[in-house]
Amino acid sequence: MTGPLDGIRVLDVSTILAGPLACQVLGDYGADVVKVEHPRAGDSMRGHGPVKDGVSLWWKEISRNKRTVAIDLGKPEGAELLVRLATDADVLVENFRPGTFERWGLSPEVLLEANPRLVLLRVSGFGQTGPYSRRPGFGTLAEAMSGFAHLTGEPDGPPTLPAFGLADSIAGIAASSAVSMALLARERTGRGQVIDMSLLAPIMTAVGPGPMAYQQTGAVGMRQGNRSVNNSPRNTYRTKDDHWVAISTSAQAIAERVLTLVGHPEVLDEPWFASGRDRAQHADLLDGYVGGWIAERTRDEVVDAFTEAGAAVAPVYDARDIYEDEHVRAVGMITHVDDDELGELAMHDVMWGMSETPGEIRFTGRALGEDTDTVLAEAGVTTTELAELRSRGVVA
């Protein structure tokens, strides 16, 4: 079987995380992704994350299913090469600061004139227009400005940023969806288009309707730690064997099962127990009941008891727990892929299953410029031209 994007060619001219992740998803589902990097600097993702034997493990995953080409786009000859590649491409993804592509002679007008069917995805911190558009844009800034940091952390503590690329990842996944929509629209119109994807908008949506609540009521949400203003008990709790578990009672029936399980069915008769928001006003009491019961039992005992009672619980996992979890293994969330440099690599499998056109990992992230000759030859660049471009440092 072939993936749903089989036959689609994507030029990944992006760096770090959001754009490359979008292209990873497209490649996982069949697209022929060509990664375009600077001949000497490469994508900074090559230096991010954990390393083994000098090799970035993150690079192996986020650049899987991508052929690599090294072109200096800041040189006129390099920009011309990208236009030639774009002529036969379906999608081009870039995430330079707004105005950079235009300065290199690679404006949407130039690219769409060369290929009117091209879908051009432009990822930036704050979008292509507006007063902040020319600011440097990183996920940390979006996490701060989206309301996420303000709502994350303990009530008496500072705003808290995630320890991973949350805003970039949300934007990358959203961007892969946007590209799919544009390709579908192209089937009807015959024309490509430009997608303006900021890091800020997707995570702002994920944080929730805070701006609407402010506009309608004047209320501004505050940090609640691991608690929720919408239900209780909802928290993390330490077990007897020094692990942690998380509980949610978003559904009324679940809340009733939890309090019955921990030996306090009497609270079910309290008028305030019938509403999640009212229960949240009694979080100290409910957390005391639940936390005390959990503290007397091991993690496995807690999970087994909650599961048997039909109540919602999950252990708080680290990477080792994820790797060893029976469900993760059974459904293939982590798969093993052969790599020329490091041997067998465990990595996240494709994100969703499809019964007719499933995705797959064909190969792991490659060396800088490994496919330059092959890809440029496909674009009609002769051996003589290639040698001349390489001698001038335009390609590698």
Side-chain angles (χ1 to χ4, degrees):
M1 295 184 184
T2 57
L5 297 179
D6 183 56
I8 297 294
R9 174 167 288 191
V10 177
L11 300 179
D12 179 1
V13 197
S14 58
T15 61
I16 304 295
L17 184 50
L21 179 57
C23 294
Q24 176 201 312
V25 175
L26 299 174
D28 285 351
Y29 290 92
D32 172 21
V33 181
V34 175
K35 176 76 177 178
V36 180
E37 302 175 76
H38 190 279
R40 290 163 292 283
D43 184 347
S44 296
M45 277 300 298
R46 290 183 178 273
H48 273 57
V51 173
K52 181 182 179 183
D53 298 337
V55 179
S56 167
L57 300 179
W58 202 350
W59 176 261
K60 290 295 182 180
E61 177 165 307
I62 201 165
S63 291
R64 68 194 190 193
N65 295 331
K66 300 179 185 181
R67 296 191 287 167
T68 62
V69 176
I71 303 174
D72 187 345
L73 301 179
K75 295 184 177 181
E77 304 96 326
E80 290 174 9
L81 282 177
L82 187 65
V83 173
R84 289 173 70 172
L85 290 173
T87 301
D88 293 322
D90 299 283
V91 180
L92 190 152
V93 178
E94 66 96 0
N95 68 342
F96 293 94
R97 195 182 304 187
T100 302
F101 249 41
E102 285 80 356
R103 189 172 70 251
W104 290 341
L106 294 168
S107 67
E109 291 77 15
V110 169
L111 292 168
L112 289 171
E113 181 179 0
N115 180 1
R117 290 175 54 83
L118 183 69
V119 172
L120 174 59
L121 169 63
R122 313 194 76 180
V123 183
S124 61
F126 304 102
Q128 298 295 315
T129 61
Y132 300 161
S133 61
R134 298 301 176 97
R135 290 184 180 182
F138 296 98
T140 298
L141 311 186
E143 288 146 10
M145 292 180 64
S146 64
F148 173 86
H150 172 77
L151 292 174
T152 304
E154 294 299 321
D156 57 351
T160 301
L161 295 166
F164 56 94
L166 179 62
D168 278 273
S169 297
I170 294 174
I173 296 169
S176 69
S177 176
V179 168
S180 299
M181 293 181 193
L183 291 173
L184 179 62
R186 191 181 69 173
E187 292 299 305
R188 296 196 295 265
T189 67
R191 300 189 305 276
Q193 60 182 296
V194 179
I195 301 170
D196 184 359
M197 175 67 67
S198 74
L199 298 183
L200 183 57
I203 189 172
M204 188 180 291
T205 299
V207 169
M212 180 169 61
Y214 170 74
Q215 182 257 336
Q216 289 292 314
T217 69
V220 174
M222 292 300 295
R223 291 181 287 286
Q224 303 291 325
N226 290 320
R227 288 178 172 176
S228 169
V229 298
N230 298 309
N231 66 82
S232 182
R234 191 265 198 182
N235 213 325
T236 57
Y237 307 87
R238 191 192 294 269
T239 63
K240 180 181 179 180
D241 54 348
D242 205 29
H243 290 289
W244 292 86
V245 296
I247 291 173
S248 174
T249 56
S250 297
Q252 181 66 24
I254 298 296
E256 294 172 2
R257 293 170 193 166
V258 169
L259 270 298
T260 300
L261 173 65
V262 302
H264 289 278
E266 74 279 1
V267 297
L268 276 62
D269 296 327
E270 295 288 348
W272 50 262
F273 196 83
S275 162
R277 282 192 168 273
D278 287 341
R279 291 200 310 275
Q281 300 302 312
H282 297 78
D284 287 342
L285 174 68
L286 298 176
D287 275 347
Y289 289 157
V290 174
W293 186 90
I294 288 175
E296 297 175 350
R297 292 161 175 80
T298 67
R299 181 174 69 176
D300 288 347
E301 290 171 341
V302 171
V303 172
D304 288 346
F306 268 70
T307 301
E308 184 176 350
V313 67
V316 177
Y317 276 175
D318 60 20
R320 178 175 57 187
D321 295 320
I322 295 170
Y323 183 75
E324 295 177 351
D325 181 81
E326 63 177 350
H327 180 80
V328 171
R329 287 176 173 268
V331 301
M333 291 182 185
I334 301 295
T335 189
H336 294 79
V337 183
D338 289 331
D339 178 75
D340 292 340
E341 293 180 283
L342 299 176
E344 186 179 77
L345 292 178
M347 64 174 62
H348 300 105
D349 203 353
V350 298
M351 274 193 254
W352 54 83
M354 300 182 71
S355 63
E356 299 299 321
T357 53
E360 65 174 331
I361 302 169
R362 300 181 295 281
F363 51 86
T364 59
R366 300 196 189 213
L368 177 63
E370 185 171 341
D371 303 288
T372 297
D373 291 16
T374 301
V375 171
L376 292 184
E378 292 171 357
V381 178
T382 66
T383 303
T384 302
E385 286 180 287
L386 189 59
E388 176 63 21
L389 291 168
R390 186 164 278 129
S391 70
R392 299 204 304 271
V394 178
V395 303

